[in-house]
Amino acid sequence: MPVRATKRGAERTPLGGEVDVLVCGASFAGLCIARELRATGARVLVIDRYEIGERQTSACAAPTEWLEVLGLESTIRQTFDTLVCHTRGRTSRWPLPYTFSTFDYKPLCEALWAQSGGAIEFETAKVNGRTGDVVHTDRGDLRAGLIVDALGWRRVLSGGEPIQPPNARMSRGLEVHPGGAGSELEIWVERRVTPVGYGWAFPAGDEVRIGIGSFDPHHHVKDETVSLAAEQGLPPDGYQGNWIPHKIRPAVEDGVFFVGDSAGHCIPLSAEGIRTAFYFGIACGRELRAVLEGRQTREDALERYGRFAASHAWKFDLMLRWQQGIPRLHPWLLDRLAGTMDRRGLSHWAFEHYLRIAHPSFALPAPPEVPARHSFQEPVPVAVTASGEDGG
């Protein structure tokens, strides 16, 4: 596991003050929000438990067009135009209407953050909870008129019941990334690999990312991950994993904007959450920008962003029904279903519809940079305190 890059000793100064926008979480969604706010000239602060790009928790693959429209081509490691699907009785090759690319997490996060220019600041801090417009961290309290929770599945800034796996709507993912090489993007939908879920092998230049995703959060996947790596002739080096939400949740609550995994913006069945984090992060950032530019109120932004996110719920629910149904199929029927996707026309049709859940045409170049007004180190006296689960 990575070592947390918390400021220590003389560098661990109190963190306090009031900002216009506080973005809690500096992974894909939070960084896309920062990118959208670079042109506002507002006081924007991004905080995360880890340094930017420090803690990878996914296989890091996305439709290539998303990486291109966001100006992140330099982070691509390998590109694929076919998905190879292994079921019990056959191996199917699904031609894709667009390409997927694997990328490196840290360089991508750093490149995305660079698009915020010098207009937005970042601090490492562990988020503990919230009281009204005050967010409590392990370095002090921060007040903001606009608050975003992009901290992940824990939904730290929610006032609702805490999400606690395995008794929650979660999938479980574990991955290793040994050194190696490959030329194909592969998945395994076989009960011998994992009974309710799938396995994958995603080559990324000089390593292969091999993992297991289980739709049953009670199911442990370490032995299966080791076994799948062994089948590829590779050692189980470099463990990383996370819980994966597979149920969309409200994107606004009590004046807070929730984005990415904290809002369940992870597509069921495929567990793809990177491009949806881009997509909803951009959407949220645009609503916040309209508030900062005086074009709408905070209440308008909450209503509009909440309605936008909710309009996608049927797509996520449809994918969840597929997730629930496919493990129940008899293996021979699953073989036949997978085989139909060998047909170019059907495969293209299915994947085009899949891409529309969060289409890259939604993204635009980052707005031009405007210098910001910064003052985050002067503590503001706040009488209330709270505690909660960690984020980041």
Side-chain angles (χ1 to χ4, degrees):
M1 293 298 291
V3 177
R4 180 181 167 198
T6 303
K7 293 180 182 294
R8 300 183 183 280
E11 292 185 346
R12 187 169 173 75
T13 56
L15 184 63
E18 184 170 354
V19 297
D20 296 313
V21 184
L22 180 60
V23 180
C24 301
S27 191
F28 306 116
L31 294 174
C32 277
I33 292 171
R35 175 183 184 270
E36 290 297 311
L37 300 183
R38 61 178 284 172
T40 62
R43 295 168 297 174
V44 180
L45 176 62
V46 179
I47 60 175
D48 195 285
R49 184 180 182 182
Y50 296 93
E51 290 286 357
I52 291 171
E54 184 183 358
R55 187 171 182 262
Q56 177 178 330
T57 58
S58 78
C60 290
T64 309
E65 189 177 350
W66 261 108
L67 303 177
E68 292 172 343
V69 297
L70 292 176
L72 303 171
E73 303 96 321
S74 64
T75 68
I76 292 174
R77 299 298 303 277
Q78 208 162 333
T79 299
F80 309 88
D81 61 6
T82 302
L83 179 61
V84 179
C85 177
H86 306 280
T87 54
R88 188 185 72 172
R90 69 180 297 157
T91 292
S92 305
R93 302 182 63 85
W94 300 349
L96 302 173
Y98 46 88
T99 62
F100 274 85
S101 290
T102 50
F103 60 86
D104 279 346
Y105 180 73
K106 184 176 176 63
L108 183 138
C109 288
E110 291 174 339
L112 199 52
W113 174 246
Q115 294 185 21
S116 299
I120 295 173
E121 289 196 2
F122 171 80
E123 290 284 349
T124 56
K126 173 178 171 289
V127 176
N128 292 321
R130 176 183 64 92
T131 304
D133 62 354
V134 176
V135 171
H136 311 290
T137 81
D138 64 348
R139 292 179 57 197
D141 292 340
L142 292 160
R143 177 178 281 122
L146 297 166
I147 298 172
V148 178
D149 182 330
L151 291 166
W153 59 265
R154 290 182 178 86
R155 200 173 167 94
V156 177
L157 299 184
S158 170
E161 288 295 318
I163 301 173
Q164 188 59 47
N167 299 313
R169 290 174 172 173
M170 297 278 178
S171 296
R172 182 194 292 264
L174 182 66
E175 180 181 75
V176 293
H177 43 102
S183 60
E184 295 184 317
L185 201 66
E186 299 180 82
I187 61 171
W188 284 260
V189 189
E190 298 184 61
R191 289 172 188 165
R192 69 166 187 87
V193 174
T194 191
V196 186
Y198 61 97
W200 66 85
F202 291 179
D206 58 359
E207 69 178 27
V208 182
R209 297 160 185 171
I210 300 169
I212 297 289
S214 175
F215 304 143
D216 179 359
H218 296 87
H219 182 70
H220 295 277
V221 294
K222 182 176 180 180
D223 290 345
E224 294 167 356
T225 303
V226 172
S227 177
L228 185 58
E231 286 186 21
Q232 310 311 303
L234 295 170
D237 295 337
Y239 285 96
Q240 64 186 32
N242 204 3
W243 296 102
I244 307 164
H246 59 232
K247 179 65 176 177
I248 197 166
R249 306 192 72 202
V252 297
E253 178 192 320
D254 192 25
V256 176
F257 299 80
F258 293 85
V259 191
D261 282 1
S262 70
H265 293 154
C266 189
I267 302 173
L269 183 61
S270 67
E272 189 187 358
I274 295 171
R275 68 179 167 105
T276 48
F278 293 154
Y279 180 79
F280 287 101
I282 291 170
C284 182
R286 288 175 181 169
E287 298 300 337
L288 297 174
R289 190 171 76 226
V291 176
L292 296 171
E293 293 173 350
R295 293 184 281 115
Q296 68 178 353
T297 66
R298 186 187 77 153
E299 289 66 31
D300 290 336
L302 288 163
E303 193 276 331
R304 282 170 53 87
Y305 173 65
R307 180 157 40 87
F308 174 82
S311 72
H312 293 71
W314 70 271
K315 303 175 185 180
F316 285 75
D317 289 343
L318 178 61
M319 293 299 291
L320 181 59
R321 287 197 288 274
W322 276 100
Q323 174 179 303
Q324 293 166 337
I326 284 180
R328 300 172 184 168
L329 295 178
H330 191 281
W332 70 263
L333 183 57
L334 186 58
D335 286 346
R336 296 192 64 181
L337 179 62
T340 64
M341 292 289 286
D342 283 344
R343 303 173 189 169
R344 180 182 178 88
L346 181 58
S347 181
H348 280 210
W349 176 86
F351 277 95
E352 285 286 5
H353 278 77
Y354 175 68
L355 187 65
R356 290 176 193 170
I357 296 174
H359 200 277
S361 62
F362 187 73
L364 296 170
E369 183 180 346
V370 174
R373 310 180 308 276
H374 289 139
S375 179
F376 304 132
Q377 295 301 322
E378 292 298 324
V380 60
V382 180
V384 291
T385 59
S387 61
E389 296 186 50
D390 73 331

